[in-house]
Amino acid sequence: IMNYIFDNLIDWEKLILEDTNYKDILLRHYQKMYKMYPEYIELEKKENKFIIGITDINGNIIGKGIGDTKREGEQQASKKTLEYLKLL
């Protein structure tokens, strides 16, 4: 049932084009494609900036983001990962 909903009832292109919660978009993509959650890693914290990385299913960093808060860093890393995956 869930696969039917994900594949047939959700307009992914429209959702991605209108949604700016990149972390949520990436989470849904990972759940659909890999049946897992993306892994967020705090790579560094300097000068009150959080540098966050996201790994692929093989453990390679495929997106990095910098933010004043951890959440902001995760959003930026999610956006970069979505761009890397050509979903944005």
Side-chain angles (χ1 to χ4, degrees), residues 43 51-54 61-66 73 76-78 80-81:
L43 299 173
I51 303 172
I52 305 294
I54 298 176
I61 295 173
I62 56 173
K64 286 185 187 178
I66 300 173
Q76 292 303 313
S78 296
K80 294 292 184 187
T81 300

Side-chain angles (χ1 to χ4, degrees), residues 18-54:
E18 294 177 0
D19 193 355
T20 58
N21 184 346
Y22 304 113
K23 187 175 178 181
D24 185 56
I25 295 168
L26 185 64
L27 172 69
R28 284 182 273 145
H29 172 73
Y30 261 64
Q31 286 178 332
K32 180 180 179 190
M33 298 302 295
Y34 312 116
K35 308 291 189 252
M36 61 182 283
Y37 297 106
E39 184 174 354
Y40 291 85
I41 300 170
E42 187 175 316
L43 299 173
E44 195 174 340
K45 183 181 178 189
K46 62 179 182 180
E47 299 174 13
N48 295 325
K49 298 283 185 184
F50 289 87
I51 303 172
I52 305 294
I54 298 176

